Amino acid sequence: MKLKLGNKTSDIVITIYVILTLFSRVYIESLFRSNVMSSLSMGFFTLFILWALIKIKFLNPTWFGLFNTKNK
C-alpha cells in the first residue's frame, strides 16, 4: 500500500513547503552572507525534493483547482 496525500492536502503542503524554504533561504543568506551559487544550489535542491515527492505520487497537486486532473 502506497502512502499518498489527497489533492487539497498536497496543495497545502506544497504551499507551506515553498514558503518555508524561501524564508529559510533568505534567513540563511543573511546569516552567512553566501554567494549566488550557493543560493541557487540550495533552491535547486529544495525543488528537487518537491519534484521527487510529486514524481513518486506521494503528493498529488491540482494547484488549487487550476488544473483538472480528471479525464473527460
Side-chain angles (χ1 to χ4, degrees):
M1 181 177 141
K2 283 190 171 183
L3 183 64
K4 61 193 314 190
L5 295 178
N7 294 338
K8 297 237 186 229
T9 308
S10 294
D11 290 340
I12 293 169
V13 167
I14 290 172
T15 303
I16 291 171
Y17 179 79
V18 167
I19 290 170
L20 287 177
T21 55
L22 285 174
F23 174 75
S24 65
R25 282 179 62 192
V26 169
Y27 181 71
I28 289 172
E29 283 179 19
S30 67
L31 262 171
F32 297 114
R33 302 191 198 304
S34 61
N35 59 11
V36 174
M37 287 307 291
S38 66
S39 175
L40 287 175
S41 62
M42 190 183 333
F44 176 74
F45 183 70
T46 55
L47 284 177
F48 178 74
I49 292 171
L50 190 62
W51 173 82
L53 289 174
I54 292 171
K55 189 73 172 172
I56 64 170
K57 304 280 188 210
F58 178 72
L59 294 174
N60 302 303
T62 59
W63 309 108
F64 295 103
L66 292 176
F67 299 110
N68 194 0
T69 58
K70 296 179 183 175
N71 294 331
K72 292 182 179 180

